[in-house]
Amino acid sequence: MLKSFRFLFLIFMFFWISFSSYADEKKLELPTGRLIDNFDEFVATFSSKKCMECHEDIYHEWEKSFHARSMVDSIKGIANFFTVGVPKEWQKELNKEEVLKCLDCHLPQVRYATERLALEIAELMIEAKKAKEAKDEARFKRAVAKLSKLNISCYACHNIVVHRAAPGWFGEPDPQTIYTANEDVEAEHPTEYTPTLKSAAFCAWCHGVYVASDGESTMCNTLSQSYYHGYISLGGRKTCQECHMYAKGRGHRFPGGHDLEIVKEGLDFQAEIKGFRYGVGKWIPAVNVEAFLTNRAGHRIPDG
Amino acid sequence: MTAKDPRSDKVLHQEKREFFEIGLDIEGRMRYGAWQIKEILDLTLPPIKTREERFLFTLPKDTKEAIIEVKTYYCIKGSKCDLIYSEKKEVTYPEL
């Protein structure tokens, strides 16, 4: 009897230990407000892979998006700012405040990095650019392997920048909460319904003229001004999400200028061609072409 | 827009229109750096508007026929352009 009891107790202990440690692994660990100094800890804290366990489909959509490549796809432009813009043109020291002028949008989590780690990440971008220029494939791959772990992760939009469109109104987001555009959510982690995620103003914070805390402006090729002044002002009423997210199940892939399907959707083309003879008495072969190119998008093309 | 001789494939006439933006710094000089650009010279296609482009040209006097092709390309980068739309028509000039 005692032997059976011991056996059952051991089995119980085995499963309890196994499942409790499994549960710990799955637990969503969110930032505590302290700054992170270690690269690997920084990556692990904000990795979208943590969300994949429950949101696999969305993770795979996001994985194909340019948000998932926000650093590796912008190496040249960002590294130029760090090596030319800040030190040579502005004669300033590269520090976290300057790094934020790019990474506040390209890697919003960098707000949780220490000054040292922010500079380590900046150095990685510089290293990748230098390696590419030197055509040193191995060196470039090493830098890119680390940089590809940095991106606009789930937590960036669903927490860090969620209230940026109106910080005075909403206040600072709670680091432990995942903000969502869905009203009815049951999750292991705290959630809060935030309709702002469905607004153009939410996207425009980064997809527009970025104004840093010192007043310096940055203009990337993703300006939203034409959306407000050339589309909304003419009666357009769609949000960014309606075309780039909700339509055709595009979801968190957010296709844009890199996706020929959506580019084609945004443009219409027609051409009328007529051959004739020009010049009375001379009758020279001539051609008249009338081409009509319509921008059906909610913003200028190219851009968006 | 290209006019070609269908027999020799020789280009008889060619024209193009480009829609893009030019970034300008605070001194009005063309720049590429996002941190340098403070103004935009906007030569892009504005939203929900149709742009009409007219091509009117003559061909060599002895032209009997020509293939006229109008193509729309979208260039995400200067080096990477994709064909989006294309219209083609053969025009003929019978002997007078």
Side-chain angles (χ1 to χ4, degrees), chain A residues 13 51 93 105 135 162 181 229 266 298:
Chain A
M13 285 303 285
C51 312
E93 196 188 332
C105 284
K135 293 182 178 156
V162 72
H229 307 303

Side-chain angles (χ1 to χ4, degrees), chain A residues 66-211:
Chain A
F66 271 76
H67 284 168
R69 299 165 55 182
S70 59
M71 293 288 277
V72 289
D73 198 61
S74 301
I75 289 169
K76 193 178 169 190
I78 294 176
N80 276 345
F81 175 62
F82 294 159
T83 54
V84 179
V86 178
K88 291 182 182 167
E89 290 185 6
W90 294 354
Q91 305 271 303
K92 286 168 93 174
E93 196 188 332
L94 185 63
N95 55 27
K96 187 177 169 182
E97 192 188 343
E98 301 304 328
V99 166
L100 272 165
K101 284 173 185 161
C102 293
L103 302 199
D104 209 12
C105 284
H106 285 263
L107 182 68
Q109 306 90 288
V110 82
R111 289 194 165 233
Y112 285 99
T114 59
E115 180 81 23
R116 194 209 61 78
L117 180 58
L119 289 173
E120 183 187 326
I121 292 167
E123 282 302 326
L124 269 174
M125 293 294 267
I126 296 167
E127 168 66 4
K129 181 181 170 266
K130 283 182 179 168
K132 191 165 190 183
E133 284 169 353
K135 293 182 178 156
D136 189 334
E137 194 69 21
R139 215 175 117 201
F140 179 69
K141 275 186 179 170
R142 268 199 306 276
V144 167
K146 286 190 91 173
L147 285 170
S148 62
K149 295 175 185 171
L150 305 172
N151 41 49
I152 301 165
S153 69
C154 310
Y155 189 72
C157 289
H158 290 276
N159 187 293
I160 300 171
V161 303
V162 72
H163 291 162
R164 292 268 174 88
W169 180 258
F170 292 115
E172 281 291 312
D174 167 27
Q176 303 303 317
T177 298
I178 297 299
Y179 295 86
T180 167
N182 301 313
E183 278 183 82
D184 300 315
V185 180
E186 277 180 32
E188 296 284 314
H189 49 75
T191 57
E192 191 176 316
Y193 172 55
T194 308
T196 319
L197 279 162
K198 296 186 242 181
S199 71
F202 170 73
C203 308
W205 195 83
C206 273
H207 291 268
V209 178
Y210 175 80
V211 181

Side-chain angles (χ1 to χ4, degrees), chain A residues 89 217 285-286 290 294 300, chain B residues 21 36 38 50 52 54 93:
Chain A
E89 290 185 6
S217 63
E290 301 287 328
T294 303
R300 64 194 188 137
Chain B
E21 63 175 28
Q36 298 165 318
K38 305 298 174 196
T50 299
E52 187 183 346
R54 173 168 293 161
Y93 302 93

Side-chain angles (χ1 to χ4, degrees), chain B residues 51-64:
Chain B
R51 177 105 184 183
E52 187 183 346
E53 293 295 330
R54 173 168 293 161
F55 304 93
L56 183 64
F57 53 94
T58 56
L59 297 170
K61 238 180 165 178
D62 57 351
T63 305
K64 302 274 182 291

